Amino acid sequence: MPGKPVSTMTAPKSPAKRRGRPCKPRPLTTSPHLDAFLDMLTAERGAAVNTRLAYERDLTDLGRWLAQRSVALEGAGTEDLRAYLAVQSKDGAPRTVARRLSAMRQFYRFLLSEGRRVDDPASPLDSPKQGRPLPKILTEAEVGAMLSTAEARGGPEGLRLVALLEVLYATGLRVSELVGLPMTAIMRDGRGLLVRGKGGKERMVPLSDPALAALAAYIPSRGHFIPPAAGGEAGHSPFLFPSRSSGEGHLTRQRFAQLLKQLAIDAGIDPEKVSPHVLRHAFATHLLDHGADLRSVQKMLGHADIATTQIYTHVVTERLKKVMHDHHPLARRRVEEPSEG
């Protein structure tokens, strides 16, 4: 018997697998109005890049949490927001929760002002109770030890580090202001800096003689940190503290913080005590220790409200209390006297 005819049909081919990297999930869009709010912060309030990013992170986190409850960010009610803050309070520090509440309040006020909502669901929420921790500071001896250790390094890296330390300790600049200083920030007379701070506000800060000397020693070596131009020609940079590897063109905040940690270790200081912001605190506290008035310190720090600067008076007061308790003869006498009974 002839065999059965063999079918010439072939099974359909499975679709070929696409080569390359797997598709990344699209980021969650929390609200069509979030970008408008962030743009308003930048355009109308002059918010810094880091401030905008902080608001974006906080509100995106809130949007993801609300999406799990099938609630849109712009449609959240007071109880939704209260439940979110309750979850945050279990794991987060009070200051973090307060910051997130501030972002929520500003976002929903924006929606109200733009006619996107008829109410403000964040207005009934209470701020979390938080203590007022005193800022960490370094003693004058510790700052001196760090400077001496940096000076001993020598070379372009050492000269730059000494200049960074001296300028920061002489001016109390925010770290983003320091690392992003343009060469044009040095005033014509060379005795101070013109600094553009938060909200684009400019202020003049004087430089100490050690800071001036450190800058004069560093600037001839500044070219070491500038990437070469095409063809191997000498490169150019508008920044006072340029960087060969940073995409921003200048030394980054993170890299400067790393340099300070290593310097603290080399100087025999606990690295957990040291950061750029701690040196800013040290600048303000040591100025007040030596008789500077609060208004002058406020201007140099670039604080909009003097109440922010007043925290340093509490640091000085606490230190004076400790000195009196440890060294005043009457204080020691009260401790040593036996109690009656």
Side-chain angles (χ1 to χ4, degrees):
M1 287 180 66
K4 291 182 180 180
V6 178
S7 172
T8 57
M9 296 180 64
T10 57
K13 294 182 179 180
S14 59
K17 292 183 179 179
R18 296 177 61 184
R19 294 182 178 180
R21 295 180 181 177
C23 296
K24 293 182 179 180
R26 294 182 65 186
L28 175 66
T29 302
T30 54
S31 166
H33 309 298
L34 179 55
D35 285 340
F37 168 70
L38 296 171
D39 290 342
M40 180 276 296
L41 286 179
T42 303
E44 297 181 17
R45 301 187 188 175
V49 174
N50 290 335
T51 302
R52 177 184 170 120
L53 289 174
Y55 276 103
E56 185 175 14
R57 282 194 301 269
D58 287 344
L59 291 170
T60 299
D61 185 77
L62 170 62
R64 290 196 180 102
W65 187 87
L66 290 169
Q68 295 173 358
R69 298 163 63 101
S70 300
V71 177
L73 178 60
E74 66 272 17
T78 299
E79 292 309 312
D80 295 317
L81 301 181
R82 185 172 282 123
Y84 171 75
L85 290 176
V87 172
Q88 297 299 308
S89 298
K90 290 180 181 178
D91 303 320
R95 294 187 68 175
T96 302
V97 178
R99 189 197 69 223
R100 294 194 170 187
L101 174 57
S102 175
M104 289 158 51
R105 283 175 172 161
Q106 295 197 51
F107 176 66
Y108 289 109
R109 284 175 194 160
F110 168 76
L111 294 182
L112 183 63
S113 68
E114 293 290 306
R116 306 294 183 179
R117 289 190 64 124
V118 296
D119 65 334
D120 178 1
S123 61
L125 301 175
D126 296 326
S127 298
K129 293 182 179 179
Q130 52 182 319
R132 192 178 188 183
L134 296 178
K136 297 178 182 178
I137 60 166
L138 296 168
T139 65
E140 293 180 42
E142 287 171 329
V143 174
M146 291 181 67
L147 283 166
S148 298
T149 304
E151 288 168 356
R153 290 186 177 180
E157 297 282 350
L159 291 170
R160 181 180 68 170
L161 189 52
V162 172
L164 284 161
L165 280 171
E166 288 285 11
V167 171
L168 179 53
Y169 188 52
T171 61
L173 296 182
R174 299 176 180 92
V175 62
S176 56
E177 296 170 344
L178 174 68
V179 297
L181 280 172
M183 286 294 293
T184 54
I186 301 175
M187 299 179 68
R188 289 180 181 274
D189 62 2
R191 302 296 303 178
L193 298 172
L194 190 61
V195 180
R196 185 179 295 274
K198 285 187 174 181
K201 295 181 180 178
E202 289 188 337
R203 68 185 189 277
M204 191 277 288
V205 291
L207 288 170
S208 64
D209 288 338
L212 290 169
L215 282 176
Y218 154 73
I219 287 176
S221 300
R222 176 174 162 271
H224 175 80
F225 303 98
I226 300 176
E233 297 180 4
H236 299 280
S237 172
F239 298 108
L240 180 57
F241 298 107
S243 169
R244 286 176 173 263
S245 57
S246 167
E248 300 172 37
H250 58 73
L251 183 71
T252 63
R253 297 177 300 124
Q254 295 82 358
R255 179 57 181 153
F256 181 42
Q258 292 171 354
L259 292 173
L260 284 183
K261 296 286 187 187
Q262 185 58 54
L263 182 63
I265 293 171
D266 295 344
I269 299 169
D270 181 0
E272 294 301 315
K273 293 177 60 177
V274 179
S275 72
H277 209 62
V278 168
L279 280 166
R280 176 171 158 89
H281 292 324
F283 157 81
T285 307
H286 297 169
L287 270 182
L288 292 171
D289 276 345
H290 289 275
D293 65 277
L294 201 60
R295 287 286 180 188
S296 298
V297 176
Q298 176 197 2
K299 289 180 179 179
M300 285 187 280
L301 290 173
H303 286 162
D305 189 345
I306 197 169
T308 309
T309 319
Q310 285 174 333
I311 185 65
Y312 297 107
T313 64
H314 294 284
V315 177
V316 175
T317 301
E318 290 300 317
R319 291 173 64 189
L320 288 175
K321 284 181 182 177
K322 187 177 187 307
V323 168
M324 188 187 75
H325 182 272
D326 292 345
H327 302 287
H328 197 284
L330 292 180
R332 291 204 307 272
R333 181 182 173 189
R334 282 194 295 270
V335 172
E336 293 168 0
E337 283 180 349
S339 59
E340 296 180 0

mmCIF file of all heavy atoms in Angstrom, residues 61 65 81-101 104 126-129:
data_model
loop_
_atom_site.group_PDB
_atom_site.id
_atom_site.type_symbol
_atom_site.label_atom_id
_atom_site.label_comp_id
_atom_site.label_asym_id
_atom_site.label_seq_id
_atom_site.Cartn_x
_atom_site.Cartn_y
_atom_site.Cartn_z
ATOM 1 N N ASP A 61 7.422 59.383 45.589
ATOM 2 C CA ASP A 61 7.227 58.318 46.573
ATOM 3 C C ASP A 61 5.780 58.306 47.070
ATOM 4 O O ASP A 61 5.161 57.245 47.183
ATOM 5 C CB ASP A 61 8.189 58.509 47.751
ATOM 6 C CG ASP A 61 8.103 57.365 48.750
ATOM 7 O OD1 ASP A 61 8.650 56.296 48.459
ATOM 8 O OD2 ASP A 61 7.472 57.551 49.816
ATOM 9 N N TRP A 65 2.871 55.280 46.501
ATOM 10 C CA TRP A 65 2.114 54.708 47.621
ATOM 11 C C TRP A 65 0.610 54.861 47.386
ATOM 12 O O TRP A 65 -0.159 53.928 47.622
ATOM 13 C CB TRP A 65 2.528 55.402 48.929
ATOM 14 C CG TRP A 65 1.940 54.776 50.150
ATOM 15 C CD1 TRP A 65 2.446 53.727 50.875
ATOM 16 C CD2 TRP A 65 0.728 55.163 50.816
ATOM 17 N NE1 TRP A 65 1.628 53.446 51.941
ATOM 18 C CE2 TRP A 65 0.565 54.306 51.927
ATOM 19 C CE3 TRP A 65 -0.229 56.145 50.576
ATOM 20 C CZ2 TRP A 65 -0.524 54.402 52.797
ATOM 21 C CZ3 TRP A 65 -1.316 56.251 51.435
ATOM 22 C CH2 TRP A 65 -1.459 55.386 52.538
ATOM 23 N N LEU A 81 -3.501 61.047 52.911
ATOM 24 C CA LEU A 81 -2.214 61.645 53.265
ATOM 25 C C LEU A 81 -1.842 61.333 54.713
ATOM 26 O O LEU A 81 -0.676 61.085 55.027
ATOM 27 C CB LEU A 81 -2.261 63.157 53.050
ATOM 28 C CG LEU A 81 -2.592 63.617 51.623
ATOM 29 C CD1 LEU A 81 -2.572 65.136 51.542
ATOM 30 C CD2 LEU A 81 -1.621 63.017 50.618
ATOM 31 N N ARG A 82 -2.845 61.340 55.586
ATOM 32 C CA ARG A 82 -2.575 61.023 56.999
ATOM 33 C C ARG A 82 -2.084 59.587 57.141
ATOM 34 O O ARG A 82 -1.160 59.295 57.919
ATOM 35 C CB ARG A 82 -3.830 61.264 57.830
ATOM 36 C CG ARG A 82 -3.607 61.071 59.330
ATOM 37 C CD ARG A 82 -4.814 61.502 60.129
ATOM 38 N NE ARG A 82 -4.883 62.956 60.254
ATOM 39 C CZ ARG A 82 -5.906 63.710 59.872
ATOM 40 N NH1 ARG A 82 -6.968 63.141 59.305
ATOM 41 N NH2 ARG A 82 -5.893 65.014 60.041
ATOM 42 N N ALA A 83 -2.696 58.656 56.365
ATOM 43 C CA ALA A 83 -2.272 57.258 56.425
ATOM 44 C C ALA A 83 -0.840 57.105 55.908
ATOM 45 O O ALA A 83 -0.042 56.347 56.454
ATOM 46 C CB ALA A 83 -3.226 56.388 55.608
ATOM 47 N N TYR A 84 -0.504 57.833 54.854
ATOM 48 C CA TYR A 84 0.858 57.784 54.307
ATOM 49 C C TYR A 84 1.867 58.275 55.336
ATOM 50 O O TYR A 84 2.915 57.655 55.552
ATOM 51 C CB TYR A 84 0.925 58.638 53.045
ATOM 52 C CG TYR A 84 2.320 58.842 52.510
ATOM 53 C CD1 TYR A 84 2.992 57.823 51.839
ATOM 54 C CD2 TYR A 84 2.975 60.066 52.680
ATOM 55 C CE1 TYR A 84 4.277 58.017 51.343
ATOM 56 C CE2 TYR A 84 4.265 60.261 52.184
ATOM 57 C CZ TYR A 84 4.908 59.231 51.524
ATOM 58 O OH TYR A 84 6.183 59.428 51.046
ATOM 59 N N LEU A 85 1.567 59.387 55.990
ATOM 60 C CA LEU A 85 2.488 59.921 56.995
ATOM 61 C C LEU A 85 2.634 58.979 58.180
ATOM 62 O O LEU A 85 3.708 58.890 58.782
ATOM 63 C CB LEU A 85 2.002 61.295 57.464
ATOM 64 C CG LEU A 85 2.112 62.429 56.434
ATOM 65 C CD1 LEU A 85 1.497 63.709 56.985
ATOM 66 C CD2 LEU A 85 3.559 62.668 56.036
ATOM 67 N N ALA A 86 1.566 58.279 58.510
ATOM 68 C CA ALA A 86 1.643 57.318 59.620
ATOM 69 C C ALA A 86 2.624 56.195 59.287
ATOM 70 O O ALA A 86 3.415 55.766 60.128
ATOM 71 C CB ALA A 86 0.257 56.748 59.909
ATOM 72 N N VAL A 87 2.585 55.736 58.034
ATOM 73 C CA VAL A 87 3.526 54.699 57.606
ATOM 74 C C VAL A 87 4.955 55.243 57.642
ATOM 75 O O VAL A 87 5.884 54.576 58.103
ATOM 76 C CB VAL A 87 3.172 54.217 56.183
ATOM 77 C CG1 VAL A 87 4.259 53.287 55.644
ATOM 78 C CG2 VAL A 87 1.826 53.506 56.188
ATOM 79 N N GLN A 88 5.126 56.473 57.166
ATOM 80 C CA GLN A 88 6.455 57.080 57.159
ATOM 81 C C GLN A 88 6.998 57.270 58.570
ATOM 82 O O GLN A 88 8.200 57.130 58.813
ATOM 83 C CB GLN A 88 6.408 58.431 56.434
ATOM 84 C CG GLN A 88 6.024 58.352 54.970
ATOM 85 C CD GLN A 88 7.002 57.522 54.168
ATOM 86 O OE1 GLN A 88 8.196 57.743 54.211
ATOM 87 N NE2 GLN A 88 6.496 56.537 53.437
ATOM 88 N N SER A 89 6.131 57.598 59.497
ATOM 89 C CA SER A 89 6.557 57.874 60.871
ATOM 90 C C SER A 89 7.100 56.636 61.564
ATOM 91 O O SER A 89 7.903 56.744 62.495
ATOM 92 C CB SER A 89 5.396 58.447 61.679
ATOM 93 O OG SER A 89 4.960 59.669 61.134
ATOM 94 N N LYS A 90 6.658 55.442 61.117
ATOM 95 C CA LYS A 90 7.120 54.207 61.757
ATOM 96 C C LYS A 90 8.594 53.949 61.469
ATOM 97 O O LYS A 90 9.327 53.428 62.302
ATOM 98 C CB LYS A 90 6.285 53.021 61.270
ATOM 99 C CG LYS A 90 4.846 53.031 61.771
ATOM 100 C CD LYS A 90 4.087 51.825 61.243
ATOM 101 C CE LYS A 90 2.644 51.847 61.721
ATOM 102 N NZ LYS A 90 1.868 50.700 61.182
ATOM 103 N N ASP A 91 9.025 54.296 60.257
ATOM 104 C CA ASP A 91 10.395 53.976 59.841
ATOM 105 C C ASP A 91 11.294 55.189 59.676
ATOM 106 O O ASP A 91 12.520 55.067 59.729
ATOM 107 C CB ASP A 91 10.374 53.204 58.510
ATOM 108 C CG ASP A 91 9.551 51.935 58.600
ATOM 109 O OD1 ASP A 91 9.634 51.267 59.643
ATOM 110 O OD2 ASP A 91 8.824 51.629 57.638
ATOM 111 N N GLY A 92 10.694 56.358 59.459
ATOM 112 C CA GLY A 92 11.497 57.533 59.154
ATOM 113 C C GLY A 92 11.708 58.440 60.347
ATOM 114 O O GLY A 92 10.963 58.413 61.327
ATOM 115 N N ALA A 93 12.737 59.266 60.262
ATOM 116 C CA ALA A 93 13.023 60.248 61.302
ATOM 117 C C ALA A 93 11.990 61.372 61.228
ATOM 118 O O ALA A 93 11.461 61.666 60.148
ATOM 119 C CB ALA A 93 14.424 60.812 61.118
ATOM 120 N N PRO A 94 11.688 62.011 62.351
ATOM 121 C CA PRO A 94 10.710 63.109 62.334
ATOM 122 C C PRO A 94 11.048 64.204 61.336
ATOM 123 O O PRO A 94 10.155 64.762 60.697
ATOM 124 C CB PRO A 94 10.755 63.630 63.774
ATOM 125 C CG PRO A 94 11.195 62.463 64.593
ATOM 126 C CD PRO A 94 12.139 61.705 63.713
ATOM 127 N N ARG A 95 12.325 64.508 61.163
ATOM 128 C CA ARG A 95 12.703 65.560 60.218
ATOM 129 C C ARG A 95 12.381 65.153 58.783
ATOM 130 O O ARG A 95 11.979 65.976 57.961
ATOM 131 C CB ARG A 95 14.181 65.890 60.350
ATOM 132 C CG ARG A 95 14.550 66.518 61.679
ATOM 133 C CD ARG A 95 15.979 66.992 61.705
ATOM 134 N NE ARG A 95 16.175 68.126 60.815
ATOM 135 C CZ ARG A 95 17.323 68.803 60.726
ATOM 136 N NH1 ARG A 95 18.359 68.438 61.467
ATOM 137 N NH2 ARG A 95 17.436 69.813 59.910
ATOM 138 N N THR A 96 12.560 63.868 58.463
ATOM 139 C CA THR A 96 12.231 63.388 57.120
ATOM 140 C C THR A 96 10.737 63.472 56.882
ATOM 141 O O THR A 96 10.285 63.895 55.805
ATOM 142 C CB THR A 96 12.712 61.933 56.947
ATOM 143 O OG1 THR A 96 14.121 61.876 57.175
ATOM 144 C CG2 THR A 96 12.395 61.418 55.554
ATOM 145 N N VAL A 97 9.949 63.063 57.880
ATOM 146 C CA VAL A 97 8.487 63.124 57.755
ATOM 147 C C VAL A 97 8.046 64.572 57.602
ATOM 148 O O VAL A 97 7.159 64.888 56.790
ATOM 149 C CB VAL A 97 7.820 62.464 58.974
ATOM 150 C CG1 VAL A 97 6.292 62.574 58.873
ATOM 151 C CG2 VAL A 97 8.229 61.007 59.088
ATOM 152 N N ALA A 98 8.650 65.476 58.376
ATOM 153 C CA ALA A 98 8.297 66.899 58.279
ATOM 154 C C ALA A 98 8.629 67.451 56.902
ATOM 155 O O ALA A 98 7.879 68.256 56.341
ATOM 156 C CB ALA A 98 9.037 67.687 59.364
ATOM 157 N N ARG A 99 9.754 67.015 56.326
ATOM 158 C CA ARG A 99 10.123 67.485 54.987
ATOM 159 C C ARG A 99 9.112 67.007 53.947
ATOM 160 O O ARG A 99 8.709 67.746 53.055
ATOM 161 C CB ARG A 99 11.512 66.962 54.641
ATOM 162 C CG ARG A 99 12.097 67.554 53.359
ATOM 163 C CD ARG A 99 13.249 66.724 52.840
ATOM 164 N NE ARG A 99 12.799 65.440 52.339
ATOM 165 C CZ ARG A 99 13.422 64.283 52.583
ATOM 166 N NH1 ARG A 99 14.502 64.249 53.335
ATOM 167 N NH2 ARG A 99 12.955 63.148 52.089
ATOM 168 N N ARG A 100 8.680 65.750 54.077
ATOM 169 C CA ARG A 100 7.713 65.215 53.122
ATOM 170 C C ARG A 100 6.355 65.906 53.273
ATOM 171 O O ARG A 100 5.674 66.167 52.277
ATOM 172 C CB ARG A 100 7.573 63.706 53.303
ATOM 173 C CG ARG A 100 8.856 62.977 52.949
ATOM 174 C CD ARG A 100 8.678 61.491 52.797
ATOM 175 N NE ARG A 100 9.896 60.916 52.217
ATOM 176 C CZ ARG A 100 10.021 59.662 51.840
ATOM 177 N NH1 ARG A 100 9.004 58.838 51.965
ATOM 178 N NH2 ARG A 100 11.149 59.226 51.321
ATOM 179 N N LEU A 101 5.985 66.220 54.490
ATOM 180 C CA LEU A 101 4.736 66.951 54.701
ATOM 181 C C LEU A 101 4.826 68.338 54.075
ATOM 182 O O LEU A 101 3.866 68.821 53.471
ATOM 183 C CB LEU A 101 4.433 67.056 56.198
ATOM 184 C CG LEU A 101 3.223 67.914 56.590
ATOM 185 C CD1 LEU A 101 1.963 67.424 55.899
ATOM 186 C CD2 LEU A 101 3.042 67.932 58.101
ATOM 187 N N MET A 104 4.241 68.003 50.411
ATOM 188 C CA MET A 104 2.818 67.767 50.153
ATOM 189 C C MET A 104 2.023 69.068 50.249
ATOM 190 O O MET A 104 1.188 69.371 49.382
ATOM 191 C CB MET A 104 2.287 66.734 51.157
ATOM 192 C CG MET A 104 2.806 65.326 50.912
ATOM 193 S SD MET A 104 2.743 64.241 52.368
ATOM 194 C CE MET A 104 1.060 64.451 52.901
ATOM 195 N N ASP A 126 -1.078 67.782 60.915
ATOM 196 C CA ASP A 126 -0.161 68.363 61.903
ATOM 197 C C ASP A 126 1.273 67.932 61.613
ATOM 198 O O ASP A 126 1.530 66.791 61.203
ATOM 199 C CB ASP A 126 -0.537 67.909 63.320
ATOM 200 C CG ASP A 126 -1.907 68.426 63.733
ATOM 201 O OD1 ASP A 126 -2.256 69.546 63.325
ATOM 202 O OD2 ASP A 126 -2.628 67.705 64.453
ATOM 203 N N SER A 127 2.188 68.837 61.849
ATOM 204 C CA SER A 127 3.599 68.502 61.685
ATOM 205 C C SER A 127 4.042 67.567 62.802
ATOM 206 O O SER A 127 3.577 67.691 63.940
ATOM 207 C CB SER A 127 4.458 69.767 61.712
ATOM 208 O OG SER A 127 4.117 70.623 60.650
ATOM 209 N N PRO A 128 4.936 66.618 62.504
ATOM 210 C CA PRO A 128 5.414 65.717 63.561
ATOM 211 C C PRO A 128 6.250 66.469 64.583
ATOM 212 O O PRO A 128 6.958 67.416 64.248
ATOM 213 C CB PRO A 128 6.268 64.707 62.783
ATOM 214 C CG PRO A 128 6.693 65.441 61.558
ATOM 215 C CD PRO A 128 5.561 66.351 61.202
ATOM 216 N N LYS A 129 6.136 66.043 65.819
ATOM 217 C CA LYS A 129 6.952 66.657 66.862
ATOM 218 C C LYS A 129 8.388 66.205 66.686
ATOM 219 O O LYS A 129 8.673 65.042 66.473
ATOM 220 C CB LYS A 129 6.451 66.248 68.249
ATOM 221 C CG LYS A 129 5.073 66.809 68.587
ATOM 222 C CD LYS A 129 4.656 66.418 69.985
ATOM 223 C CE LYS A 129 3.278 67.000 70.329
ATOM 224 N NZ LYS A 129 2.839 66.614 71.693
#
